[in-house]
Amino acid sequence: MSDETKSQLIWTLETTHPDMVEPMKDVFRQIVDPEIGLNIIELGLVRDVIINEDSAQVQMILTTPFCPYGPAMLETTRMKAEEYLKKPTTIDMGTEMWDLSYMEEGAGAEWGLF
């Protein structure tokens, strides 16, 4: 996957429920990785959001497979999505490895990354 493709990730939600994209991102911006201090949208950890008739699915990755806060962040993401969408929600762990190009533009500026 090229860097341009990574930074232009499109959630399924953008096609099926475009009016819900920004509110969903706002919900996810409340979830901060405590070690890094950036939220899961800034980090690019949410890879897809799919809303079905009676359920929802969030595909997510972590910055590292051994993130000590990973289980708590995954559960918080599930709970926040479920609360907002008012549908049972599952989290599916993606298999791709996270890298800096997944971050929102400008999110790494305070680290001197961009």
Side-chain angles (χ1 to χ4, degrees), residues 37-52:
L38 297 173
N39 67 60
I40 63 174
I41 293 298
E42 290 172 312
L43 290 168
L45 300 182
V46 177
R47 307 310 292 157
D48 200 2
V49 179
I50 301 166
I51 298 177
N52 301 309

Side-chain angles (χ1 to χ4, degrees), residues 79-91:
M79 288 176 11
K80 292 275 190 186
E82 198 167 90
E83 182 181 296
Y84 172 72
L85 298 170
K86 308 219 182 320
K87 295 176 183 272
T89 302
T90 58
I91 300 288

Side-chain angles (χ1 to χ4, degrees), residues 9 13 38-39 46 53 58 61 81 87 89 93 95-96 99:
L9 181 70
L13 181 71
L38 297 173
N39 67 60
V46 177
E53 194 171 317
V58 176
I61 60 173
K87 295 176 183 272
T89 302
M93 281 296 299
T95 56
E96 64 192 295
D99 71 45

